[in-house]
């Protein structure tokens, strides 16, 4: 649509002012078919409002409709031969609109220009007298008002079109995700089944039993993530507002993470860390890294959501594994004490984080100097860790270099029970 009913209503109000206060006997508002530079000498125009209702004008069809000049006091002969209509007419077919034969002093043609773009014309006239300077200035104000309103109206139309396209794209992406998740579940179920079969075949003292046990554990973890994902993509705006009401910490973060930590309870850190360390050892061994862990089993419990804590620590440990070169070392230590807090430290001997990046490492999608490196990543792991620890009323600190001028250390602080 060229314009909206709201804009037409505004035209009616403004033209009424021309008629009642200034004595205009006829007025027409034209809009350009598309925006053009104000210096342009040609623009195809389409009428959107006329006063009075000149239905009787719609008699003869002519081809053309090009405005050759846009300036004040334009002669009636240079006006486009278009009759008033509220909708665009077929290309190269316009209704003839005979205008009164008025002298230039009794007729005014003003371009509708805003931010350097020509959007249309306001044409008005009266028969009994010429326009004085004060009246001309008032008509210019009306033209400027219409130009601004037209610009806002077209922006609204553009935004609605873009929103419609975005919604269509999001629906396509949603359909694709649904298909991928459906296909993902089958091999995941098979992987978990194979892990269980291996557990039955290995003796309790077999060194490979731990590998099979990790396969089952990680499969269960993926199953839980899939459930969380299903719930997340089905969330509505009302659901998000309800979650924010239940967990005020969510209002402090920019987006809702895949997992939430709204169900904090007593949690033994060692029980969460042990399987993560076991998996990290296997990855470290494959990458020629050393991994040392100091996890006291008798440390007091903390107040945390076990699933969220697992994902939090998994992201930080994965970050250390990813950015430590071959031959490096990773240290994991729990049982660090603070003011009513227990700390869990994960440090590495990697290249460290430049000072310029330290304040941004917890921002979503921020990778700093690693953006152009060969190491893959999305810049989400630490951001998710920060969101989750905030929800559990904890903190996360980062130090780089960690020691001896090398590496990085993260300390996750959680409230003691």
């Amino acid at each position: 649509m060229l314009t909206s009913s709201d804009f037409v209503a505004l035209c009616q109000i403004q033209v009424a002012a021309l008629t009642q206060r200034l004595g205009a006997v006829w007025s027409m508002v034209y809009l350009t078919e598309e925006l053009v530079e104000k210096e342009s000498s040609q623009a195809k125009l389409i009428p959107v409002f006329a006063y009075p209702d000149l239905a009787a004008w719609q008699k003869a069809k002519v081809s053309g409709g090009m405005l050759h000049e846009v300036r004040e006091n334009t002669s009636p002969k240079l006006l486009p031969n278009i009759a008033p209509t509220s909708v665009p007419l077929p290309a190269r077919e316009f209704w003839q609109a005979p205008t009164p034969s008025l002298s230039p002093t009794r007729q005014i043609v003003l371009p509708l220009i805003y931010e350097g773009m020509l959007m249309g014309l306001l044409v008005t006239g009266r028969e009994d007298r010429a326009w004085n300077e004060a009246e001309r200035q008032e008509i210019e104000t009306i033209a400027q008002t219409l130009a601004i309103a037209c610009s806002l109206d077209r922006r609204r139309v553009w935004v609605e079109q873009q929103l419609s396209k975005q919604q269509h794209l999001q629906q396509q992406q949603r359909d694709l995700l649904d298909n991928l998740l459906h296909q993902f579940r089958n091999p995941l179920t098979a992987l978990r089944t194979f892990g269980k079969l291996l557990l039955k075949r290995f003796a309790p003292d077999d060194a490979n039993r731990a590998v099979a046990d990790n396969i089952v554990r990680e499969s269960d973890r993926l199953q839980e993530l899939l459930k969380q994902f299903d719930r997340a993509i089905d969330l509505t705006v009302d659901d998000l507002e309800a979650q924010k009401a239940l967990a005020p910490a969510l209002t402090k973060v920019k987006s809702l993470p895949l997992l939430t930590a709204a169900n904090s309870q007593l949690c033994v850190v060692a029980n969460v860390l042990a399987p993560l360390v076991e998996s990290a050892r296997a990855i470290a061994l494959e990458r020629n890294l050393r991994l040392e862990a100091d996890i006291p089993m008798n440390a007091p419990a903390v107040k945390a959501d076990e699933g969220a804590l697992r994902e939090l620590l998994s992201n930080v440990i994965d970050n250390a594994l990813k950015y430590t070169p071959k031959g490096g070392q990773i240290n994991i230590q729990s049982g660090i004490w603070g003011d009513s807090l227990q700390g869990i430290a994960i440090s590495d001997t990697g290249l460290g984080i430049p000072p310029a990046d330290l304040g941004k490492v917890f921002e979503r999608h921020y990778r700093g100097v690693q953006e152009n490196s060969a190491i893959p990543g999305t810049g989400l792991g630490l951001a998710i860790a920060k969101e989750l620890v905030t929800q559990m009323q904890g903190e996360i600190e980062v130090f780089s270099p960690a020691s001896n001028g090398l590496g990085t250390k993260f300390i996750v602080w959680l409230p003691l029970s």
Side-chain angles (χ1 to χ4, degrees):
M1 293 182 64
L2 188 67
T3 187
S4 68
S5 58
D6 293 333
F7 180 77
V8 174
L10 179 64
C11 290
Q12 183 177 7
I13 294 172
Q14 297 299 314
V15 168
L18 285 173
T19 304
Q20 296 169 7
R21 293 206 308 266
L22 304 179
V25 295
W26 63 273
S27 302
M28 294 187 69
V29 178
Y30 297 88
L31 293 184
T32 56
E33 200 167 47
E34 57 185 16
L35 296 180
V36 295
E37 298 289 341
K38 65 179 180 180
E39 294 83 3
S40 175
S41 62
Q42 292 188 339
K44 184 177 291 186
L45 297 172
I46 297 175
V48 295
F49 184 81
Y51 174 84
D53 184 6
L54 303 177
W57 289 10
Q58 299 178 357
K59 295 178 180 179
K61 291 182 180 180
V62 296
S63 63
M66 298 299 295
L67 176 69
H68 297 292
E69 288 191 43
V70 178
R71 64 171 184 264
E72 295 182 13
N73 298 327
T74 301
S75 167
K77 294 181 181 180
L78 295 179
L79 290 178
N81 293 322
I82 310 172
T85 178
S86 59
V87 296
L89 295 169
R92 302 191 63 79
E93 283 194 1
F94 302 89
W95 295 101
Q96 187 175 15
T99 55
S101 299
L102 301 178
S103 66
T105 59
R106 297 188 180 185
Q107 168 184 282
I108 294 180
V109 179
L110 289 176
L112 305 182
I113 296 176
Y114 184 65
E115 294 184 342
M117 303 303 295
L118 172 66
M119 286 170 284
L121 286 180
L122 169 62
V123 186
T124 189
R126 63 188 179 189
E127 299 174 348
D128 57 341
R129 64 191 185 277
W131 303 96
N132 61 41
E133 186 60 29
E135 290 172 331
R136 290 176 62 84
Q137 290 180 0
E138 187 169 351
I139 297 173
E140 288 176 0
T141 300
I142 290 175
Q144 183 64 17
T145 300
L146 292 176
I148 295 173
C150 180
S151 176
L152 294 174
D153 195 53
R154 292 194 173 188
R155 289 178 185 177
R156 177 194 58 80
V157 171
W158 181 85
V159 169
E160 288 180 353
Q161 290 173 344
Q162 296 303 309
L163 178 60
S164 178
K165 291 179 182 179
Q166 185 66 27
Q167 289 174 337
H168 179 67
L169 176 60
Q170 288 177 343
Q171 185 58 50
Q172 288 181 318
Q173 292 174 329
R174 172 64 184 272
D175 292 342
L176 178 60
L177 279 176
D178 287 341
N179 293 342
L180 291 175
L181 287 174
H182 178 76
Q183 296 304 110
F184 183 76
R185 286 184 174 88
N186 293 334
L188 177 59
T189 301
L191 184 65
R192 188 174 187 278
T193 302
F194 293 147
K196 285 190 170 183
L197 290 174
L198 287 174
L199 276 176
K200 292 181 179 180
R201 296 193 178 192
F202 291 135
D205 57 346
D206 194 317
N208 291 317
R209 185 179 177 85
V211 176
D213 190 46
N214 282 332
I215 292 175
V216 175
R217 186 187 305 110
E218 292 302 316
S219 298
D220 290 339
R221 180 184 169 199
L222 286 175
Q223 291 280 15
E224 179 59 31
L225 286 173
L226 277 176
K227 292 178 182 178
Q228 293 280 349
F229 190 87
D230 285 337
R231 288 195 287 268
I233 61 177
D234 289 333
L235 284 175
T236 64
V237 174
D238 291 340
D239 294 330
L240 293 178
E241 291 302 322
Q243 288 198 23
K244 287 182 180 180
L246 292 173
L250 290 180
T251 61
K252 300 178 182 179
V253 299
K254 295 181 179 179
S255 61
L256 188 69
L258 184 59
L259 285 171
T260 60
N263 298 317
S264 294
Q265 52 190 340
L266 296 185
C267 178
V268 178
V269 172
N271 294 342
V272 177
L273 265 179
L276 295 179
V277 169
E278 192 68 28
S279 297
R281 285 190 192 280
I283 297 173
L285 182 62
E286 181 186 12
R287 299 181 183 178
N288 193 23
L289 301 172
R290 298 188 304 278
L291 191 148
E292 299 292 337
D294 180 9
I295 307 173
M297 301 300 294
N298 58 349
V302 296
K303 187 178 180 181
D305 182 293
E306 186 170 322
L309 180 59
R310 181 171 57 248
E311 294 305 317
L312 187 167
L313 295 174
S314 176
N315 279 315
V316 180
I317 294 172
D318 179 70
N319 194 72
L321 291 167
K322 184 186 299 183
Y323 294 109
T324 304
K326 291 183 178 180
Q329 180 169 324
I330 295 164
N331 293 293
I332 301 173
Q333 180 184 4
S334 64
I336 303 173
W337 309 114
D339 185 14
S340 300
L341 299 170
Q342 180 181 168
I344 306 161
I346 297 99
S347 60
D348 61 66
T349 58
L351 299 177
I353 302 172
D357 292 341
L358 271 177
K360 300 180 179 180
V361 293
F362 298 114
E363 294 181 7
R364 293 179 70 84
H365 300 293
Y366 185 83
R367 299 193 67 209
V369 295
Q370 301 297 339
E371 183 71 32
N372 299 319
S373 71
I375 302 174
T378 60
L380 288 175
L382 293 178
I384 292 175
K386 174 68 173 178
E387 292 173 356
L388 291 174
V389 77
T390 300
Q391 292 175 50
M392 291 184 286
Q393 309 301 313
E395 300 175 5
I396 182 169
E397 295 181 298
V398 56
F399 305 91
S400 188
S403 61
N404 301 322
L406 293 174
T408 304
K409 175 187 285 187
F410 289 90
I411 301 180
V412 176
W413 296 100
L414 296 168
L416 292 170
S417 59

